[in-house]
Amino acid sequence: MTGAPPLPVLYSFRRCPYAMRARLALAVSGQAYELREVVLRNKPADMLAASPKGTVPVLVLPDGKVIEQSLDVMLWALRRSDPENWLAPAQASIDDMLALVSENDGAFKQHLDRYKYPNRYPQEPGGDAPQAFAETHRAEGARWLGRLDAMLAGGWLFGSRTSLADMAILPFVRQYAHTDATWFAAQDWPRLQAWLAGFEGSALYASVMHKHAVWQPLSNQ
């Protein structure tokens, strides 16, 4: 009698927006996997052996293939099973979605990091005045969020139902919003704020945000 086949292994960190979006796609696809919660300041050797880049998420498949980028994890899961049609929104192509996600992961993420962690960039112009530096990058990020708010007329970025783009971008909007929740709530972004609130109140979000003990290899247990 043989045991159950091995599962894909996901190295993750609960609050990381990249890892969060990977878990969202895995969850909605119904893909079973082994979650290994890690501490980024003490990365396990097994994770680094699989992916020397040292960032999460990392998905290791049973055949040894390693998927190192969060968007690739999403696409892998959804191409196996996409019961809510995240890859086929009513008003866009997959290329449209990937282009929007690329903008999020590029310029917006740069502004988000500098808004949330201004003390990390003293070498950059204005970085020697962290509060003003943070406010400058908050304003630049706000331009992007205003654009998203306009796109949400149908409730979601590309129409009346969820898509990959929504779930790839929402974890980063969440991080921006929680940097200064009072300021965020005061902005004139009614659609964006409702979109984020709906996400954070969803069963899917709750299902991927359970707290897990930090994974330890068997040799350490």
Side-chain angles (χ1 to χ4, degrees):
M1 182 176 179
T2 60
L7 295 174
V9 171
L10 181 74
Y11 292 94
S12 181
F13 176 63
R14 180 175 175 270
R15 296 194 307 275
C16 171
Y18 293 105
M20 195 182 301
R21 71 185 182 189
R23 297 195 308 271
L24 288 163
L26 288 164
V28 83
S29 74
Q31 173 65 52
Y33 64 96
E34 177 189 340
L35 177 70
R36 295 182 177 178
E37 180 75 8
V38 304
V39 175
L40 297 179
R41 65 178 178 273
N42 186 24
K43 299 162 188 171
D46 295 51
M47 180 182 119
L48 293 173
S51 176
K53 71 183 177 70
T55 60
V56 293
V58 175
L59 185 68
V60 183
L61 302 183
D63 65 2
K65 180 180 178 181
V66 176
I67 304 177
E68 299 183 291
Q69 301 299 328
S70 61
L71 195 56
D72 291 335
V73 175
M74 294 187 80
L75 291 169
W76 176 85
L78 294 169
R79 284 168 176 162
R80 289 171 65 85
S81 176
D82 187 14
E84 296 188 8
N85 292 315
W86 285 13
L87 294 180
Q91 298 178 11
S93 68
I94 191 166
D95 287 341
D96 294 329
M97 292 194 293
L98 294 178
L100 192 69
V101 173
S102 179
E103 290 187 60
N104 174 83
D105 293 3
F108 177 67
K109 181 61 165 61
Q110 290 181 4
H111 293 308
L112 170 59
D113 288 344
R114 286 154 181 79
Y115 169 39
K116 186 173 177 64
Y117 307 110
N119 292 315
R120 294 181 180 179
Y121 303 93
Q123 76 283 2
E124 294 191 5
D128 56 346
Q131 182 174 347
F133 182 78
E135 290 174 357
T136 295
H137 287 282
R138 180 175 71 184
E140 290 297 325
R143 298 176 189 273
W144 165 255
L145 297 186
R147 179 180 162 196
L148 295 185
D149 185 74
M151 291 182 67
L152 289 164
W156 300 94
L157 290 171
F158 290 107
S160 60
R161 55 183 172 81
T162 317
S163 72
L164 174 144
D166 295 283
M167 292 301 168
I169 292 172
L170 269 161
F172 297 86
V173 176
R174 174 187 176 275
Q175 194 173 67
Y176 181 103
H178 285 272
T179 300
D180 186 339
T182 301
W183 180 89
F184 182 82
Q187 304 312 299
D188 185 21
W189 296 325
R191 297 178 183 129
L192 184 84
Q193 290 157 347
W195 180 60
L196 178 60
F199 169 64
E200 292 187 312
S202 69
L204 177 61
Y205 174 81
S207 75
V208 303
M209 291 302 288
H210 292 300
K211 291 185 178 180
H212 295 270
V214 174
W215 176 77
Q216 298 287 345
L218 289 176
S219 59
N220 292 351
Q221 293 178 1

